[in-house]
Amino acid sequence: RFTLAKVDDLNKLLNELKVIYRKHEMLKGLTTDFNIFKSTGNKIYAEIVHSELIASLFKDKIYGDRFLFEFLKLIEIDLPSHESITKKEVKREEPTLDSTGNMDLLIDFATSNKEKFLIAIENKIYAIDHEGQIDKYRKDLKNRKKQDDRLITKLVYLTLDGSAPINSSTTEDIICISYENDIIQWLNECIKIV
């Protein structure tokens, strides 16, 4: 049963929705296609720039653990909260134990429940993996796990579209993620945090 007060409330709500819609339409016209990464102009350095940006977000002294926590959700590592992350170290161009290659990003952290994680991220933009490169990183993570059997290791392959490495003997233990979907989603979560 509608009363005059309810009709007035519905009219107010409808008017507020109209205002929101008009503002949204106005803002759509103000969007830009500017891309800071494209503005660097050099595809050779794209991986370096992107890897540095991701590393800097993980290293941030205020939000780094929260940003990492959101990233961990993407690669299906479930932690109770960002506060459970302890002893975090983020390294760029980390050499493999046998010094035959460098991993773009290596994230080493423990949790408050004494779990230990090591996540290697290989970042490929406008490039493919080199022959045996991913196998080498997989082997390196296994060797590090032999040194500490409590270590949980993950190998992440990050590309523009989430494609799998083509020069790897297997892709079954590789987590493939994309800038196109996953990193954009992750960055949106990071923006909400800030």
Side-chain angles (χ1 to χ4, degrees):
R1 182 173 247 199
F2 283 97
T3 64
L4 198 51
K6 286 184 181 179
V7 171
D8 284 343
D9 288 343
L10 287 174
N11 281 331
K12 285 179 188 176
L13 177 62
L14 183 59
N15 286 331
E16 288 174 18
L17 288 173
K18 286 179 183 176
V19 169
I20 292 170
Y21 177 77
R22 282 189 205 115
K23 285 182 181 180
H24 175 71
E25 288 299 306
M26 184 178 75
L27 289 174
K28 272 187 6 185
L30 299 176
T31 59
T32 178
D33 62 352
F34 174 75
N35 182 327
I36 193 167
F37 300 112
K38 286 182 182 176
S39 70
T40 61
N42 193 334
K43 291 182 179 182
I44 294 170
Y45 298 110
E47 288 174 21
I48 295 168
V49 171
H50 285 71
S51 294
E52 287 292 341
L53 174 70
I54 292 169
S56 69
L57 290 170
F58 291 150
K59 289 179 181 182
D60 185 82
K61 64 182 179 179
I62 296 173
Y63 299 109
D65 289 350
R66 290 179 180 178
F67 295 159
L68 177 57
F69 177 73
E70 292 301 324
F71 183 83
L72 295 174
K73 290 180 189 178
L74 280 178
I75 60 171
E76 298 181 0
I77 294 177
D78 296 320
L79 299 179
S81 80
H82 70 276
E83 293 168 341
S84 61
I85 297 171
T86 62
K87 300 178 187 170
K88 177 184 67 187
E89 188 175 4
V90 179
K91 301 173 188 171
R92 284 271 302 114
E93 294 299 321
E94 176 66 13
T96 55
L97 294 174
D98 64 3
S99 299
T100 59
N102 293 322
M103 294 176 266
D104 290 333
L105 278 166
L106 194 66
I107 306 152
D108 184 359
F109 69 95
T111 67
S112 51
N113 358 339
K114 309 289 187 240
E115 293 174 306
K116 294 172 79 175
F117 289 87
L118 190 63
I119 301 166
I121 301 175
E122 183 56 27
N123 193 2
K124 290 293 180 193
I125 301 174
Y126 308 117
I128 59 170
D129 52 303
H130 305 291
E131 188 67 39
Q133 180 182 23
I134 302 305
D135 294 329
K136 185 185 320 180
Y137 297 160
R138 180 186 295 110
K139 179 182 174 187
D140 184 81
L141 291 175
K142 286 180 182 176
N143 287 337
R144 291 173 193 249
K145 187 171 177 66
K146 286 179 187 175
Q147 294 175 357
D148 184 348
D149 63 348
R150 297 178 304 150
L151 194 61
I152 299 165
T153 61
K154 300 286 182 184
L155 179 54
V156 177
Y157 192 71
L158 172 58
T159 63
L160 292 174
D161 62 2
S163 57
I166 61 171
N167 291 307
S168 177
S169 61
T170 181
T171 57
E172 69 184 44
D173 59 347
I174 298 171
I175 301 167
C176 296
I177 62 173
S178 72
Y179 280 97
E180 188 175 53
N181 297 311
D182 303 303
I183 295 300
I184 288 174
Q185 175 187 336
W186 172 63
L187 289 172
N188 282 327
E189 291 304 316
C190 292
I191 288 168
K192 290 177 190 175
I193 290 167
V194 177

